[in-house]
Every structure is written in C-alpha cells, then in structure tokens.
Amino acid sequence: MNFGSILKFFRSLRGYTQAKLGAKVGLNDVRIRQYESGARTPREDLQKELAESLDIKDLYLETGGFPESLEEAMYSLFKLDTTYPLKIEEVDIEYTGKKGNTYTKTEYVMHFQDAAAASMTSFLTAWKKMRDAYDNEEITLEEYQDWKANFPGSTSNNYKPTIMNKEKNYKYHFEEKYKLYHYI
C-alpha cells in the first residue's frame, strides 16, 4: 500500500472530500488528488500535517519500507526474525464449514521466542480484542482503523478514538461502498 492509497483510505474513512482535506492543510483538491494518485509525493512536513489533519500518527501514514506485496512482507518477517527470533510451528485447526461439517486443516503460526514475546503477546491480545469488536460490528470501521493508526497510544485505558465521519460504517458497509477489502 503506497502513501496515496493510505491517504485516500483515511480521507474517505473520515468523511472528507479532497477539497476539505486540502483546505485543512492549505492546499487545493487537485494537489490532494495528485498525492492520492501517486503523481506527486508531499514533503515530509506536509505528510505530518496531513496525518495530523486525519488524526493519525504520521508514522502510520509513512510508507518508506512498507511491504506492498506478500513477497515484501516475507522479507520484512525475515528481517524481523534477525532482531527478534521467530518460531514457526504447524498446528491443526478444526473448522466448521457452511453446511455444519467439520474438517481439520494444517496452518502455520509464528511467535516470538525471547523477551520480545511478552510485549508482542500483549500487543496481539489488544489487536485481537479490537478486531473481534470490529468483526462483531461492536465498533465502526473508523474506530477500528483509528485504533490501528494511533497504536500503541490507543492501547491506554483513557484512549478515545477520533470520529470525524458522521456516517457510521461498520465492517460490511464500508467494504461494499468503497471496495476496500484489502485495506482492512
């Protein structure tokens, strides 16, 4: 996912038009459209302003080194394994099919082996809680994405998500409306 697609996703999620977002940072809608299409890339200070206008961490909006394919994601995991050793295991998971039949499938899971394991476990526990709330439509897509875009600050007890869009988009509403399955 590149800078432009992340920008467009959050702009749409927050309920902003290109003109409204542009006005917040002193630009016109044409410039925002150019950033979203990838025709131009904003300066670092403007990237920070755009992130602030969307109320997300600028680090989340940055894409330098961000994997944009599964192959690149694998390389990121390989690099992560160098710093924080990962263990990969086969596990058999029982699934229930649409007709109620059950079957077992071998899946692969990965976990950290050293001191990073405790931190990662707490991060993943918090993420699972939020993902479950989103999947069960207890929170909107905006609340879920806001949580991810402001991590780890969003894990504190007093964190309140920023809601800018009056339209309440839940899991399937937004996916169908914007065809953004792969961003979630």
Side-chain angles (χ1 to χ4, degrees):
M1 192 179 339
N2 61 33
F3 174 86
S5 57
I6 296 171
L7 180 66
K8 181 178 181 178
F9 176 76
F10 269 95
R11 178 186 58 75
S12 297
L13 185 66
R14 297 298 196 194
Y16 287 167
T17 63
Q18 291 172 334
K20 185 173 180 180
L21 179 59
K24 289 180 79 64
V25 295
L27 299 172
N28 61 29
D29 61 325
V30 172
R31 183 61 55 91
I32 299 298
R33 190 168 24 265
Q34 290 171 334
Y35 293 151
E36 289 181 359
S37 72
R40 295 183 74 144
T41 303
R43 300 177 320 272
E44 188 176 323
D45 61 322
L46 184 54
Q47 286 183 21
K48 289 179 189 239
E49 273 188 70
L50 288 163
E52 188 177 303
S53 295
L54 295 168
D55 200 28
I56 60 175
K57 291 182 86 165
D58 60 319
L59 184 61
Y60 194 82
L61 195 55
E62 281 181 19
T63 58
F66 184 84
E68 295 192 34
S69 70
L70 291 177
E71 184 177 306
E72 288 178 12
M74 284 301 296
Y75 284 124
S76 294
L77 290 172
F78 295 156
K79 291 174 186 175
L80 186 62
D81 183 45
T82 303
T83 308
Y84 301 105
L86 295 169
K87 183 169 175 102
I88 301 167
E89 297 185 69
E90 283 186 4
V91 294
D92 290 330
I93 299 177
E94 189 172 288
Y95 291 95
T96 303
K98 292 180 182 178
K99 296 180 180 180
N101 56 325
T102 59
Y103 60 96
T104 302
K105 183 177 176 187
T106 300
E107 299 282 358
Y108 295 87
V109 297
M110 166 174 40
H111 57 90
F112 292 90
Q113 299 187 76
D114 59 12
S119 293
M120 187 55 73
T121 297
S122 68
F123 293 161
L124 292 173
T125 300
W127 188 9
K128 179 180 180 352
K129 179 182 172 187
M130 293 305 292
R131 181 61 198 221
D132 288 348
Y134 172 63
D135 285 341
N136 295 325
E137 295 196 349
E138 296 165 13
I139 61 172
T140 65
L141 179 61
E142 187 173 12
E143 290 168 305
Y144 178 57
Q145 292 294 345
D146 183 88
W147 182 86
K148 291 192 303 183
N150 289 294
F151 182 85
S154 56
T155 61
S156 73
N157 289 335
N158 60 350
Y159 181 78
K160 299 274 189 240
T162 300
I163 306 301
M164 297 178 180
N165 192 346
K166 292 182 178 19
E167 187 177 340
K168 299 292 182 202
N169 291 298
Y170 290 90
K171 184 177 181 180
Y172 300 106
H173 303 156
F174 198 80
E175 289 174 4
E176 291 169 10
K177 183 176 180 180
Y178 293 100
K179 305 287 187 233
L180 294 171
Y181 303 99
H182 58 284
Y183 294 127
I184 298 171

